[in-house]
Amino acid sequence: MANTKKHDLHSIERGEGTPLVLLHGFPFDHALWKEQLHGVASKGARIIALDLPGFGRSNPLDGDEATMDAYADAIAEWAEKEGLEKFVLAGHSMGGYIAFAFARRHMEMLSGLILVCTRPGADSDAGKEGRYKLITEVEKRGPQGVVDAMLPKLFAAQTAKERPEIVAETREMVLRQSREGIITAIRSMAERPDSTPGLDAIKVPTLIITGAEDAIIPAPEADGLLSSIPHAKHVSIKGGGHMPMLENPNAFNKALKAFIRTL
Ligand code: MLT
């Protein structure tokens, strides 16, 4: 493991049975998964929602550790400490980028993979440039800079219009994150490698979930995942933008439960 420092990660869990570790996207925390903690946890499924390093109540990575590999290693170290030998790993968006790194480095710990609204490719030059502009914005204005850049794109049109409470909760979730955690995550996303070449080595059962109206990672990007990962299945969530776990939790939880039953 690249990283020998003991990472103290905060998590919330419910239920017992097949362990399912949930990694939130950028720049959220474990509360992203509140509907899954309540709706999926049962006798058959132990749902563990983590705060990634630098988010929620988890310690940040060191500044010079800004890589997806460092996040993945911190999670592997945490899982070992928790006595979790094998588990299903679910990653939303940036959590998915980390899940690709985790699969590359710690495949033996995985019994399944769930990739939510994520993509395997690296950033384009223009995408990278946008990330570094956003870092400057966060240095000046804190998390409000991310709210202004991202919030309008996160939700399906109907959610934005009819579910103001979800939009408000998400805004609060972003505003409570630290500048340091946000900046390290942006830098790690900008510099992440292309995970496409390793996809055919993912041999565990894999579920790909997309939001039918995701404006940040448009659903067709899942097609590449589906054709490259040997045992992958795809579910598209109706009425979901980039946040389908909150926007249509019934459909989302149904897909998770059906997948867990097949393991
Ligand atoms: C996320 O939700 O984690 C981000 O939108 C991912 C990204 O900016 O690439």
Side-chain angles (χ1 to χ4, degrees):
M1 270 178 222
N3 165 0
T4 50
K5 188 177 134 198
K6 284 281 171 237
H7 288 287
D8 197 6
L9 299 186
H10 172 252
S11 62
I12 297 282
E13 71 168 84
R14 284 176 75 104
E16 45 193 84
T18 305
L20 170 52
V21 175
L22 304 173
L23 309 181
H24 58 81
F26 168 86
F28 310 121
D29 59 32
H30 73 272
L32 179 77
W33 303 109
K34 64 173 196 172
E35 300 285 359
Q36 288 64 51
L37 279 163
H38 291 97
V40 181
S42 63
K43 279 238 175 287
R46 176 181 170 202
I47 305 295
I48 307 166
L50 261 190
D51 283 340
L52 287 173
F55 293 94
R57 286 198 258 151
S58 289
N59 290 337
L61 296 173
D62 288 339
D64 57 2
E65 286 184 313
T67 63
M68 291 301 152
D69 287 355
Y71 285 99
D73 287 355
I75 293 161
E77 196 179 296
W78 162 84
E80 265 172 37
K81 273 200 302 194
E82 293 289 311
L84 280 172
E85 284 172 16
K86 241 177 162 50
F87 50 90
V88 180
L89 185 64
H92 168 240
S93 204
M94 173 181 151
Y97 308 158
I98 296 169
F100 293 127
F102 195 95
R104 265 196 308 277
R105 298 166 74 80
H106 306 287
M107 182 66 90
E108 72 291 348
M109 298 178 89
L110 291 181
S111 56
L113 197 57
I114 303 175
L115 300 166
V116 183
C117 301
T118 194
R119 56 160 73 96
D123 278 358
S124 63
D125 288 346
K128 239 186 214 193
E129 202 180 309
R131 301 266 193 213
Y132 283 98
K133 279 196 187 133
L134 185 57
I135 289 180
T136 309
E137 211 47 39
V138 175
E139 281 166 350
K140 278 197 253 166
R141 303 169 57 223
Q144 185 64 49
V146 186
V147 167
D148 294 346
M150 280 184 78
L151 206 69
K153 294 186 272 183
L154 284 177
F155 301 101
Q158 200 178 349
T159 313
K161 198 164 142 222
E162 294 173 11
R163 310 285 304 278
E165 73 288 358
I166 294 185
V167 179
E169 267 173 39
T170 304
R171 178 186 288 106
E172 286 311 308
M173 188 162 40
V174 176
L175 289 176
R176 67 177 174 250
Q177 308 308 325
S178 72
R179 265 175 218 236
E180 184 189 5
I182 289 176
I183 289 172
T184 301
I186 300 175
R187 192 169 295 125
S188 309
M189 289 195 284
E191 302 303 331
R192 75 189 190 279
D194 182 4
S195 292
T196 314
L199 294 179
D200 58 357
I202 298 177
K203 305 286 192 226
V204 292
T206 300
L207 174 65
I208 296 160
I209 301 183
T210 50
E213 295 176 48
D214 188 345
I216 294 191
I217 302 191
E221 295 207 30
D223 293 348
L225 283 175
L226 200 55
S227 56
S228 306
I229 299 179
H231 307 288
K233 291 203 164 34
H234 176 213
V235 174
S236 167
I237 304 293
K238 211 169 142 218
H242 193 58
M243 311 290 271
M245 68 295 282
L246 290 172
E247 299 178 84
N248 188 349
N250 290 341
F252 194 95
N253 291 352
K254 195 172 155 206
L256 283 195
K257 285 188 204 164
F259 179 68
I260 291 169
R261 272 199 302 272
T262 64
L263 298 176

